[in-house]
Amino acid sequence: MHLNIRVLILISIFTALDLSFAQNEDSLKQELFSALKGFTDYTVNVLLDEEGKSRCDYNMIEGKWYPYEEAWHTGQLIYGLVEAYRTTGDKNLLEEAKRAGDWWCSLLITDHPKLKGMVRAVHGDHAGNRIVFATVTDGTAGLFNLYKETGNKKYAEVPTSAGRWMMDNMYVPEYKLFYDSVNEETGEVMKENSPFWPNKEEQDIFDVARPNNEGSIFKDMYEFTGDEKYKEMFIELCESLLQYQGEEGLWMDFMPNHKNEGTFHPRFNLWYAESLLEGYDLTGDERYLKAAKKTLDLYLNYQRGDGTIYYKNYLDGRSNQNSVTGSAVAFAGMLWIRLVGYGVGQEYKDNIERSFNWITRNRYSIDHPDENLAGSLINLRTRRKYGKLWITQRDVGTAFGMRFLAAYYNYRFAESDK
């Protein structure tokens, strides 16, 4: 009799634990989809303008939007919308991604004697009307994903055309680097002076060229066309990243890292790490996986206990705390999830949960009185510009927030929901 009572007690305890676990899982899932809906509604209703391009940067003091690397920012939103569509099945998100993709494809240059086949992806801001390599390539990943979902070849053909032009005109084989910039008016590649260093009199190859593997465009071009030369180009850039990576896991020779200051950009190095993981997927070369992990290991030291990652970080462990960067929280979280999936990142699991908690808790309310902010993920850039204080909310936080939540859903719930 006593044994039966003990069994019943144990059964009731385990039943309660199972129920509590299920309720917790349901609560997390509800929180995830609530945040994702906020991000997608904000993207569709606010971030994408009438033409289908991103509004980019919102000056919170002026209440005014400023364009900035529109091709890059729009490409990021396309990527986020496609991933959100894959998670939710909401066909309107795919339609909006197509609208943005149509705008992106309209940048194809057809009437310039030197730039024909390239895209007019100007940087803006301090770089002016210069076409910048990474503005193009890191905007293309969303386009290729859009092609995979829709089957519309133009979303792959236009970025392939741009990649072909850059490969023919901007590569520096002896260094395994690509020049950064092109004069939009003349079509000349800027080989001696970078628009990013207007006050630097003497500039070397590292000032005007980088590995520029963001977006893994040549891998996507290879998979779209089957042309082996694009595969070879992509692998050569992965080798370049191995060559130039520092012991700390970063690429300090290249802006927007600043070697002389000992500071690094919150996302730049993650893009290179992501491309190395794409290289690992393509080739199975363990060196690429190891190099990417070195980068992600470093980021463990720069995510604070509450999940925050700041914009400006120093190699000595300090961070300037005036700008919180939701996109970096999301991007690092995505790559930590990916490494766990490869079986080499068990130590990242706590940080993944910090990223999830931060992203779901650091959003502007959907009822925020300023509709230019309502529902978005906090991603601030605070600085002095044109002699006054600029506090900017950037669209890229929401773009990466969508991607992270889709990745987190697959990481935590996809198998159980089958």
Side-chain angles (χ1 to χ4, degrees):
M1 183 69 176
H2 293 298
L3 181 60
N4 290 338
I5 291 174
R6 290 195 191 100
V7 170
L8 289 172
I9 291 172
L10 288 171
I11 290 172
S12 65
I13 289 172
F14 288 130
T15 300
L17 288 173
D18 287 342
L19 182 60
S20 175
F21 178 77
Q23 289 172 338
N24 185 52
E25 291 283 286
D26 288 342
S27 176
L28 280 176
K29 206 177 296 183
Q30 184 177 358
E31 194 170 14
L32 185 155
F33 280 106
S34 175
L36 187 55
K37 180 169 174 49
F39 295 161
T40 56
D41 285 351
Y42 176 71
T43 299
V44 169
N45 298 323
V46 178
L47 285 181
L48 294 179
D49 70 8
E50 296 79 8
E51 294 182 77
K53 69 179 184 298
S54 176
R55 298 183 193 277
C56 301
D57 287 356
Y58 181 64
N59 185 311
M60 296 171 65
I61 296 175
E62 297 179 344
K64 181 179 177 182
W65 290 94
Y66 284 86
Y68 180 63
E69 279 194 288
E70 291 171 310
W72 181 88
H73 283 254
T74 304
Q76 296 299 330
L77 291 178
I78 293 169
Y79 203 152
L81 285 171
V82 171
E83 291 302 309
Y85 162 72
R86 288 169 174 164
T87 303
T88 66
D90 184 347
K91 293 183 179 179
N92 182 54
L93 303 182
L94 190 61
E95 290 303 310
E96 289 296 314
K98 287 161 62 177
R99 188 166 72 88
D102 292 341
W103 173 83
W104 206 101
C105 290
S106 75
L107 299 177
L108 181 67
I109 299 170
T110 60
D111 57 357
H112 192 290
K114 286 191 175 181
L115 287 171
K116 186 176 181 180
M118 185 52 166
V119 291
R120 190 168 278 105
V122 298
H123 189 281
D125 198 54
H126 57 283
N129 287 331
R130 300 289 186 269
I131 298 174
V132 174
F133 191 100
T135 303
V136 177
T137 61
D138 202 42
T140 62
L143 271 292
F144 280 106
N145 269 348
L146 184 58
Y147 156 68
K148 291 172 186 175
E149 284 299 325
T150 65
N152 188 334
K153 289 186 177 181
K154 109 176 149 177
Y155 299 131
E157 288 170 344
V158 172
T160 295
S161 175
R164 186 183 303 116
W165 191 96
M166 293 186 291
M167 186 171 165
D168 290 342
N169 293 277
M170 300 179 75
Y171 193 51
V172 193
E174 61 267 36
Y175 290 98
K176 295 188 180 73
L177 303 176
F178 273 94
Y179 288 114
D180 281 317
S181 306
V182 179
N183 186 308
E184 188 247 356
E185 294 180 0
T186 67
E188 294 295 331
V189 176
M190 302 177 69
K191 299 180 179 181
E192 296 180 358
N193 297 101
S194 168
F196 297 106
W197 306 111
N199 300 318
K200 190 172 183 180
E201 293 185 6
E202 294 186 12
Q203 299 185 21
D204 62 24
I205 188 67
F206 286 178
D207 294 313
V208 296
R210 297 180 293 177
N212 276 322
N213 209 23
E214 296 99 314
S216 303
I217 185 173
F218 295 108
K219 175 177 180 286
D220 284 329
M221 289 167 62
Y222 163 65
E223 291 175 343
F224 173 60
T225 66
D227 193 327
E228 289 288 330
K229 69 183 178 186
Y230 300 134
K231 178 181 179 181
E232 292 168 6
M233 182 78 269
F234 175 67
I235 292 173
E236 195 156 310
L237 290 182
C238 289
E239 292 296 315
S240 176
L241 290 177
L242 295 185
Q243 177 181 338
Y244 292 116
Q245 185 181 41
E247 284 302 315
E248 74 288 318
L250 306 176
W251 289 268
M252 293 301 298
D253 288 318
F254 307 105
M255 66 90 187
N257 294 334
H258 294 278
K259 194 172 185 177
N260 58 330
E261 296 178 4
T263 63
F264 64 94
H265 187 273
R267 293 183 307 272
F268 170 65
N269 305 279
L270 294 175
W271 275 303
Y272 281 180
E274 182 181 44
S275 72
L276 285 167
L277 294 180
E278 293 294 322
Y280 175 66
D281 286 348
L282 183 65
T283 68
D285 192 325
E286 295 281 345
R287 296 176 304 145
Y288 301 155
L289 180 62
K290 183 179 179 181
K293 189 175 188 304
K294 186 186 292 187
T295 307
L296 271 297
D297 285 347
L298 179 84
Y299 272 74
L300 294 175
N301 302 321
Y302 289 88
Q303 185 176 45
R304 306 307 168 183
D306 66 350
T308 302
I309 296 178
Y310 294 105
Y311 184 86
K312 188 173 185 178
N313 301 288
Y314 294 81
L315 291 177
D316 62 11
R318 293 178 295 132
S319 298
N320 185 332
Q321 300 185 16
N322 68 358
S323 300
V324 294
T325 310
S327 55
V329 177
F331 199 4
M334 282 189 289
L335 297 185
W336 284 325
I337 287 172
R338 193 163 173 177
L339 284 164
V340 169
Y342 291 132
V344 296
Q346 296 303 305
E347 66 272 29
Y348 302 141
K349 288 189 173 182
D350 287 344
N351 294 79
I352 292 168
E353 297 306 321
R354 286 180 197 168
S355 291
F356 176 76
N357 290 332
W358 196 96
I359 287 165
T360 53
R361 287 162 173 74
N362 287 277
R363 298 174 283 140
Y364 293 96
S365 167
I366 58 173
D367 299 321
H368 196 285
D370 188 342
E371 65 180 15
N372 294 292
L373 299 172
S376 62
L377 179 65
I378 294 175
N379 197 108
L380 300 176
R381 183 80 167 93
T382 303
R383 52 183 170 162
R384 290 199 66 80
K385 186 176 175 182
Y386 305 136
K388 58 184 179 181
L389 179 66
W390 281 54
I391 302 177
T392 303
Q393 164 67 14
R394 310 194 71 203
D395 62 339
V396 71
T398 301
F400 276 88
M402 290 187 285
R403 287 182 59 192
F404 171 82
L405 290 178
Y408 186 85
Y409 173 80
N410 290 329
Y411 166 67
R412 286 291 303 267
F413 306 119
E415 287 300 319
S416 63
D417 283 354
K418 285 183 178 177

